[in-house]
Amino acid sequence: MDNSKILLVDDEQDILDLIRYNLEKEDFTVFTASNGREGIEIAKKELPDLILLDVMMPEMDGMEACTEIRTIPELAGVIIAFLTARSEDYSQIAGFDAGADDYITKPIKPRVLVSRVKALLRRTSGKEETNSSANSSGIVIDKDRYIVFKEGVELSLPKKEFELLSLLMSQPGRVFTRELILSSVWGNDVIVGDRTIDVHIRKLREKLGDSNFKTVKGVGYKFDD
Amino acid sequence: MDNSKILLVDDEQDILDLIRYNLEKEDFTVFTASNGREGIEIAKKELPDLILLDVMMPEMDGMEACTEIRTIPELAGVIIAFLTARSEDYSQIAGFDAGADDYITKPIKPRVLVSRVKALLRRTSGKEETNSSANSSGIVIDKDRYIVFKEGVELSLPKKEFELLSLLMSQPGRVFTRELILSSVWGNDVIVGDRTIDVHIRKLREKLGDSNFKTVKGVGYKFDD
DNA sequence: GAAAGTCTTAACTTTCGCTTAACCTCGCAG
DNA sequence: CTGCGAGGTTAAGCGAAAGTTAAGACTTTC
């Protein structure tokens, strides 16, 4: 759950190393860039969840980069936090106005940084967790609304189908045994016939595309793309 | 767009006044409470978008209040920021772990505070945009006056209907389970029959239009357009 | 204290999601 | 080639869950 992607943009190698070390220790995936221009390139390619931007940088500074990032559609929703040398309160205003979500002051204290990063990610990834999760298959599920989107088209599934889909999509690629599916979707005390799962899988295949649901004979099913 | 509701919880009247003044100047709607317990009561009633919580308070401190708020379903999604006297870096960790989204240090500088509040609200209100809004259904509720407007026409609903509607509309699109509805509108200790909710939903559909209330069989109801 | 309004319940109907039974297909082992 | 095991397919029927309606118990209003 915590392998969120973080892009770190700073021109000082020491800082990059320090932060990278601490974030990777927490299982985040870290990308780095040493100026704003390069940061934007990488951001477009990797679509990180969070960008940590140093304010002072050669080539293109953090403020400019932030403003530009906010105009890039693929990066809508990315969280941006500035890193700044001194707690210059009033300079923060410019940062927030440029579209920043947070301001972290140097000197960086590793534990504080990690806590802060987690707090920033919690809202979005927390939302993703309960709300929706996407992947390359073009299928997005929204648990709060009990709705599934297939290539942007809204689609509402009955309870059991929805729960089965949620389960399979919770770990794409992983095979869930019939047993596990039964205990998870139906509960341990309900006894249902052998063909019940198949029928539900069939409905999902019908509605969401055959290719996403793979049968592993003798074992179970998995969601794939 | 900026009349977001902000709940301010602090035991010092000076601070309440100062912050209230500055936020109201920016067209935010501000509620205040002077301790955690009272804050939670008001939060449940007003469903603010953002809560500013002082850490040090009598009765129930900010940390406790934060933890409790995070367990209240109607308040899922509310943003919580702590106000703290000194930039005690390491104490922030506990705050973030309790579910805080931000940390604002005293002494409060008005312009910084306002910028920060706007930055915090930007993310969610941006998100709500995709969820669309209650406006598109033509239904607006006014909690202070216990009044509902449907396409501009005033309409007064009985208590239970009003509360049910408020709950459903607090997060349009989200499905509320029957259980949740019961505990939220009727309270945990009242026992009512199975059909009670249905009848109230029926009344709402009758008065406000069938299409806005969707049934998710086996799960609950949601407000939609 | 009648009238109007509110909430809950009971009894009945309707809907539609879930399960099953019966049959089909595929692939593999003997 | 045959038999068997595992999964696929289909449609029908059951039944739980929601919709509907009216009536009864309370409350508030005037």
Side-chain angles (χ1 to χ4, degrees), chain A residues 30 75 100 161 179:
Chain A
V30 181
L75 295 172
E161 283 168 43
E179 259 176 21

Side-chain angles (χ1 to χ4, degrees), chain B residues 107-167:
Chain B
I108 308 282
K109 302 191 180 177
R111 290 191 56 205
V112 175
L113 176 83
V114 168
S115 278
R116 195 119 187 176
V117 162
K118 283 184 179 172
L120 282 167
L121 288 170
R122 186 157 44 216
R123 240 174 306 167
T124 36
S125 72
K127 290 225 158 167
E128 302 310 306
E129 246 174 12
T130 47
N131 286 3
S132 89
S133 62
N135 298 357
S136 61
S137 64
I139 297 173
V140 184
I141 77 178
D142 183 333
K143 284 201 164 179
D144 289 338
R145 296 200 280 154
Y146 247 80
I147 279 177
V148 179
F149 294 92
K150 191 208 170 184
E151 271 120 34
V153 183
E154 198 175 310
L155 188 58
S156 81
L157 297 181
K159 194 169 172 236
K160 284 270 145 64
E161 284 168 43
F162 188 86
E163 281 170 4
L164 176 55
L165 179 67
S166 294
L167 178 66

Side-chain angles (χ1 to χ4, degrees), chain A residues 1-19:
Chain A
M1 185 242 139
D2 249 353
N3 57 352
S4 299
K5 290 186 280 187
I6 299 175
L7 170 60
L8 179 57
V9 189
D10 198 312
D11 59 320
E12 290 168 73
Q13 190 61 43
D14 292 353
I15 304 271
L16 291 181
D17 292 342
L18 172 72
I19 299 182

Side-chain angles (χ1 to χ4, degrees), chain A residues 104-141:
Chain A
I104 297 172
T105 55
K106 298 181 187 177
I108 307 283
K109 300 188 182 178
R111 289 192 56 203
V112 175
L113 176 82
V114 168
S115 279
R116 195 122 190 172
V117 163
K118 284 185 179 171
L120 282 166
L121 288 169
R122 186 157 43 216
R123 237 172 310 166
T124 37
S125 79
K127 288 231 159 160
E128 304 306 307
E129 206 180 37
T130 47
N131 261 348
S132 56
S133 56
N135 56 47
S136 54
S137 63
I139 298 174
V140 184
I141 78 177

Side-chain angles (χ1 to χ4, degrees), chain A residues 118-188:
Chain A
K118 284 185 179 171
L120 282 166
L121 288 169
R122 186 157 43 216
R123 237 172 310 166
T124 37
S125 79
K127 288 231 159 160
E128 304 306 307
E129 206 180 37
T130 47
N131 261 348
S132 56
S133 56
N135 56 47
S136 54
S137 63
I139 298 174
V140 184
I141 78 177
D142 185 329
K143 284 194 169 172
D144 274 353
R145 300 207 268 161
Y146 249 83
I147 278 177
V148 179
F149 294 92
K150 191 209 169 183
E151 270 117 39
V153 183
E154 196 175 311
L155 190 58
S156 80
L157 298 182
K159 198 180 176 216
K160 284 267 147 62
E161 283 168 43
F162 189 86
E163 281 171 2
L164 176 54
L165 179 66
S166 294
L167 178 66
L168 294 180
M169 282 185 65
S170 68
Q171 289 172 263
R174 168 174 168 194
V175 179
F176 291 84
T177 63
R178 285 169 168 270
E179 259 176 21
L180 192 61
I181 293 173
L182 279 180
S183 73
S184 182
V185 177
W186 274 263
N188 283 311

Side-chain angles (χ1 to χ4, degrees), chain B residues 1-220:
Chain B
M1 186 244 137
D2 249 354
N3 57 351
S4 300
K5 290 186 279 186
I6 299 176
L7 170 61
L8 180 57
V9 189
D10 198 313
D11 59 320
E12 290 168 74
Q13 191 61 42
D14 293 353
I15 305 269
L16 291 181
D17 292 343
L18 172 73
I19 298 182
R20 174 192 280 276
Y21 169 77
N22 281 287
L23 293 177
E24 286 184 342
K25 209 170 57 183
E26 298 289 327
D27 278 341
F28 293 110
T29 305
V30 180
F31 305 97
T32 55
S34 55
N35 64 63
R37 177 64 50 210
E38 192 187 335
I40 290 173
E41 290 315 307
I42 296 177
K44 277 193 200 163
K45 206 168 124 228
E46 303 293 346
L47 302 175
D49 302 290
L50 168 67
I51 300 177
L52 296 173
L53 266 181
D54 189 22
V55 177
M56 299 282 286
M57 279 184 298
E59 188 81 23
M60 182 188 227
D61 74 27
M63 216 64 89
E64 278 180 80
C66 179
T67 308
E68 185 162 335
I69 288 167
R70 285 297 183 221
T71 68
I72 300 172
E74 307 100 279
L75 294 172
V78 69
I79 303 171
I80 299 177
F82 277 117
L83 300 172
T84 186
R86 283 265 305 121
S87 176
E88 277 301 333
D89 279 322
Y90 286 97
S91 83
Q92 293 193 12
I93 292 170
F96 287 125
D97 287 347
D101 293 302
D102 201 5
Y103 234 83
I104 297 172
T105 56
K106 297 181 187 177
I108 308 282
K109 302 191 180 177
R111 290 191 56 205
V112 175
L113 176 83
V114 168
S115 278
R116 195 119 187 176
V117 162
K118 283 184 179 172
L120 282 167
L121 288 170
R122 186 157 44 216
R123 240 174 306 167
T124 36
S125 72
K127 290 225 158 167
E128 302 310 306
E129 246 174 12
T130 47
N131 286 3
S132 89
S133 62
N135 298 357
S136 61
S137 64
I139 297 173
V140 184
I141 77 178
D142 183 333
K143 284 201 164 179
D144 289 338
R145 296 200 280 154
Y146 247 80
I147 279 177
V148 179
F149 294 92
K150 191 208 170 184
E151 271 120 34
V153 183
E154 198 175 310
L155 188 58
S156 81
L157 297 181
K159 194 169 172 236
K160 284 270 145 64
E161 284 168 43
F162 188 86
E163 281 170 4
L164 176 55
L165 179 67
S166 294
L167 178 66
L168 294 180
M169 282 186 65
S170 69
Q171 292 177 63
R174 170 173 166 194
V175 177
F176 292 83
T177 63
R178 294 175 99 88
E179 250 182 17
L180 193 64
I181 293 173
L182 279 180
S183 73
S184 185
V185 177
W186 274 264
N188 283 311
D189 26 56
V190 187
I191 315 141
V192 287
D194 256 2
R195 300 272 64 70
T196 304
I197 293 179
D198 309 38
V199 173
H200 285 274
I201 289 284
R202 176 162 203 290
K203 296 256 176 73
L204 289 177
R205 296 216 243 237
E206 212 168 62
K207 293 174 184 170
L208 298 168
D210 197 59
S211 51
N212 293 309
F213 302 91
K214 291 203 177 134
T215 306
V216 181
K217 266 212 171 187
V219 188

Side-chain angles (χ1 to χ4, degrees), chain A residues 25 38 55 77 190 223:
Chain A
K25 208 169 59 182
E38 192 187 334
V55 178
V190 188
F223 178 88

